[in-house]
Amino acid sequence: MEFIKGYYVTAEIHVKDVSKIEKTKKELNILQEKSIEEIGCTLFKVHQSNADESTFILWERFENEASFKIHFEYEHTKNYVNQDLTEVVKFYQTDIL
């Protein structure tokens, strides 16, 4: 598999209320399915920690920073954010060497 330069995002997020882990998983799956359909988004994967089920890692790749910013204007992203299920623990923006 060849990787190409772009606007890569890795984010560690944590569920705010552990009683909502299953709901969060459902909503993250919806976010994942819808985000990968966005123009400019070529990777959007959600991973759940094996050590702590309330921790998730998001792997994302956008064509550029503008595509990433537009991601937050889509209804599916606004819907997820407005539910206030998770908080960002760490966030990295990187690119391929």
Side-chain angles (χ1 to χ4, degrees):
M1 173 182 261
E2 182 179 336
F3 292 98
I4 55 174
K5 288 191 171 285
Y7 193 87
Y8 286 85
V9 173
T10 302
E12 177 184 345
I13 61 174
H14 191 264
V15 178
K16 290 182 175 183
D17 178 350
V18 293
S19 71
K20 295 184 178 178
I21 289 175
E22 290 305 314
K23 176 170 180 50
T24 302
K25 286 169 52 174
K26 177 185 171 201
E27 295 300 327
L28 282 170
N29 274 321
I30 292 169
L31 181 65
Q32 177 176 255
E33 290 171 7
K34 300 282 187 181
S35 295
I36 196 63
E37 296 175 356
E38 296 172 19
I39 295 171
C41 180
T42 60
L43 174 70
F44 198 101
K45 293 291 184 187
V46 178
H47 301 256
Q48 186 175 21
S49 170
N50 290 333
D52 177 1
E53 68 179 354
S54 65
T55 298
F56 295 85
I57 303 295
L58 306 180
W59 285 352
E60 308 169 32
R61 184 199 173 271
F62 293 87
E63 291 294 324
N64 50 46
E65 185 177 7
S67 296
F68 174 69
K69 288 181 177 180
I70 291 170
H71 166 69
F72 290 95
E73 296 177 18
Y74 283 97
E75 194 62 35
H76 56 270
T77 306
K78 288 180 182 179
N79 181 54
Y80 179 80
V81 170
N82 289 338
Q83 292 182 70
D84 198 31
L85 297 168
T86 55
E87 60 189 345
V88 176
V89 176
K90 286 188 177 183
F91 173 90
Y92 299 96
Q93 189 284 310
T94 61
D95 202 349
I96 299 291
L97 291 178

